[in-house]
């Protein structure tokens, strides 16, 4: 039972834990071209991250997602995953990754207790993939996905951000790729987090309904009975005759805040109570002022719940949130 209940009677059971703001890619919708990364002194240590994770689990959080930035570039990530997995009461440890390093890390991740992974891939065309990620090599990700399939993850899901005029012609190909490789797939609407110069966010907006229509023209789509109690916003459907579930994450077109069950911790220790607002609490200050003190952390986290706002208000023409997704813990 979660002790983390906000003013709107939402129970927080899910923590997205950012383990780095750095990345080995520079996706154009996620980061600006010239990013300034955090100095080491501002970044939570592995011990601090593990302690904060423990505080959340003791308060009733059941699921933790390791994310970033790119979580697999953080030194010591496997050891951190192992430590978090061993916390009593945690039901599920999962990760979101760009897949570039999965060739090397899939088996160690499974051994450390990561049960499911999401792999972000927005294009299956090498030249376009390079453009979208500014220098990424599609082959690395494909090799990584294959390695993940060979490892014993319970589930692998593709995440694709679809941008009008940039990769919207790949919705069907990406879905076929998921079916052929027995993966799930979620389509994500681009959110206006941080100023970017590569494209106009309002010009590239694609909503989930439009993607759904494209899919319906090509596949027979049925409602999935699958329900992930800890998942929150994603609603699932299934391609008939396959195991592939399709999810739509629609922060722009379909406000799902009423069922929000999550909070995020940035790697500088900022507890973000909502992705689309700046309401937050500095946990780094607390963990450094009272090293090893779980009770202090738990008290502060519990008290912060009243600050969780009712909902986000995103406008692609008006970038009010200057923090990039890579620094947020997507
Ligand atoms: N580097 C890892 C990855 O790419 O999977 C984990 C961090 S990344 C910030 C997490 C997810 O956020 C990815 O699926 C990415 O596509 C998505 N994302 C990044 N910027 C976004 C934006 N502005 N709007 C919507 N999704 C975004
Ligand atoms: Fe890196 Fe992930 Fe952001 Fe791409 S979406 S730049 S892989 S953090």
């Amino acid at each position: 039972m979660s002790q983390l209940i906000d003013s709107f009677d939402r129970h927080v059971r899910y923590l997205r834990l950012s383990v780095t703001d750095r990345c080995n890619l520079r996706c154009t919708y996620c980061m600006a071209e010239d990013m300034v990364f955090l100095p080491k002194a501002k970044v939570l240590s592995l011990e601090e991250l593990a302690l904060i994770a423990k505080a959340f689990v003791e308060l009733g959080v059941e699921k933790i997602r390791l994310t970033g930035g790119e979580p697999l570039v953080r030194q010591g990530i496997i050891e951190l995953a192992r430590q978090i997995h061993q916390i009593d009461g945690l039901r599920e440890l999962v990760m979101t990754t760009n897949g570039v390093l999965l060739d090397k890390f899939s088996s160690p991740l499974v051994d450390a207790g990561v049960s499911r992974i999401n792999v972000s891939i927005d294009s299956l065309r090498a030249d376009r993939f390079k453009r979208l990620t500014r220098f990424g090599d599609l082959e690395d990700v494909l090799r990584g996905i294959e390695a993940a399939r060979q490892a014993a993850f319970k589930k692998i899901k593709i995440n694709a951000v679809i941008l009008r005029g940039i990769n919207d012609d790949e919705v069907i190909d990406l879905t076929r790729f998921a079916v052929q490789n027995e993966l799930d797939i979620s389509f994500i609407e681009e959110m206006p987090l941080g100023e970017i110069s590569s494209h106009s966010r309002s010009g590239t907006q694609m909503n989930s309904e439009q993607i759904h229509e494209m899919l319906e023209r090509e596949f027979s789509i049925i409602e999935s009975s699958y329900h992930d109690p800890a998942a929150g916003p994603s609603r699932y459907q299934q391609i008939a005759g396959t195991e592939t579930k399709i999810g739509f994450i629609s922060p722009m077109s379909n406000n799902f805040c009423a069922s929000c069950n999550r909070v995020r911790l940035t790697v500088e220790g900022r507890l973000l109570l909502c992705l689309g607002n700046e309401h937050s609490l500095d946990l780094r200050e607390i963990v450094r002022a009272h090293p090893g003190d779980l009770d202090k952390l738990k008290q502060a986290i519990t008290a912060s719940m009243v600050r969780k706002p009712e909902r986000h208000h995103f406008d692609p023409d008006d970038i009010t949130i200057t923090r990039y997704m890579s620094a947020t813990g997507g």
Side-chain angles (χ1 to χ4, degrees), residues 153-169:
F153 289 110
K154 280 192 200 139
K155 214 32 126 188
I156 306 171
K157 189 174 81 171
I158 297 292
N159 272 351
V161 176
I162 301 298
L163 308 172
R164 181 186 300 285
I166 295 183
N167 66 344
D168 53 333
D169 54 350

Side-chain angles (χ1 to χ4, degrees), residues 259-275:
S259 62
C260 182
N261 65 353
R262 65 194 54 190
V263 290
R264 291 172 166 82
L265 185 75
T266 73
V267 75
E268 55 180 335
R270 202 171 156 215
L271 176 62
L272 286 171
L273 296 153
C274 171
L275 179 63

Side-chain angles (χ1 to χ4, degrees), residues 23 29-30 67-71 96-98 120 122 159 161 188-191 193 201 325-326 330:
C23 187
Y29 53 78
C30 175
T67 182
E70 172 49 39
T96 299
T97 169
N98 61 28
S120 306
D122 309 311
N159 272 351
V161 176
I188 305 175
E189 292 173 350
E190 181 186 17
M191 286 172 262
L193 296 181
R201 292 203 195 265
M325 194 64 146
S326 56

Side-chain angles (χ1 to χ4, degrees), residues 17-26 30-31 35-40 42-44 49 67-71 73-74 265-268 324-329:
L17 190 61
S18 176
V19 299
T20 180
D21 63 331
R22 291 168 192 257
C23 187
N24 44 5
L25 298 179
R26 294 281 184 281
C30 175
M31 286 194 184
M35 291 292 289
V36 178
F37 297 105
L38 291 167
K40 199 161 176 234
K42 288 197 169 176
V43 170
L44 294 176
L49 284 164
T67 182
E70 172 49 39
V73 303
R74 176 78 198 244
L265 185 75
T266 73
V267 75
E268 55 180 335
Y324 292 94
M325 194 64 146
S326 56
T328 297

Side-chain angles (χ1 to χ4, degrees), residues 285-303:
E285 193 178 84
I286 296 167
V287 82
R288 292 197 177 163
H290 310 276
D293 191 337
L294 261 180
D295 286 337
K296 275 271 177 327
L297 273 174
K298 284 162 68 178
Q299 281 160 18
I301 294 167
T302 308

Side-chain angles (χ1 to χ4, degrees), residues 97-167:
T97 169
N98 61 28
V100 170
L101 295 174
L102 272 180
D103 192 16
K104 176 174 168 201
F105 282 116
S106 284
S107 295
L109 283 173
V110 170
D111 289 346
V114 173
S115 60
R116 295 193 288 155
I117 51 166
N118 291 352
V119 185
S120 306
I121 180 167
D122 309 311
S123 175
L124 293 166
R125 301 183 194 176
D127 52 341
R128 183 179 283 173
F129 183 86
K130 194 174 283 290
R131 259 199 317 280
L132 264 169
T133 57
R134 291 203 176 92
F135 49 73
D137 185 344
L138 177 65
E139 280 307 315
D140 291 341
V141 182
L142 296 179
R143 215 176 304 117
I145 291 175
E146 191 46 40
R149 292 185 64 215
Q150 301 306 322
F153 289 110
K154 280 192 200 139
K155 214 32 126 188
I156 306 171
K157 189 174 81 171
I158 297 292
N159 272 351
V161 176
I162 301 298
L163 308 172
R164 181 186 300 285
I166 295 183
N167 66 344

Side-chain angles (χ1 to χ4, degrees), residues 5 10 14 17 21 28 87 120 141 146 154 158 162 169 180 186 212 243 250 255 261 275-276 278 290 304 306 311 328:
I5 303 171
R10 294 174 298 193
Y14 180 9
L17 190 61
D21 63 331
T28 52
I87 300 172
S120 306
V141 182
E146 191 46 40
K154 280 192 200 139
I158 297 292
I162 301 298
D169 54 350
Q180 279 158 9
S186 274
H212 194 262
E243 291 298 312
S250 320
N255 188 285
N261 65 353
L275 179 63
E278 295 296 9
H290 310 276
S304 74
V306 292
R311 54 167 296 173
T328 297

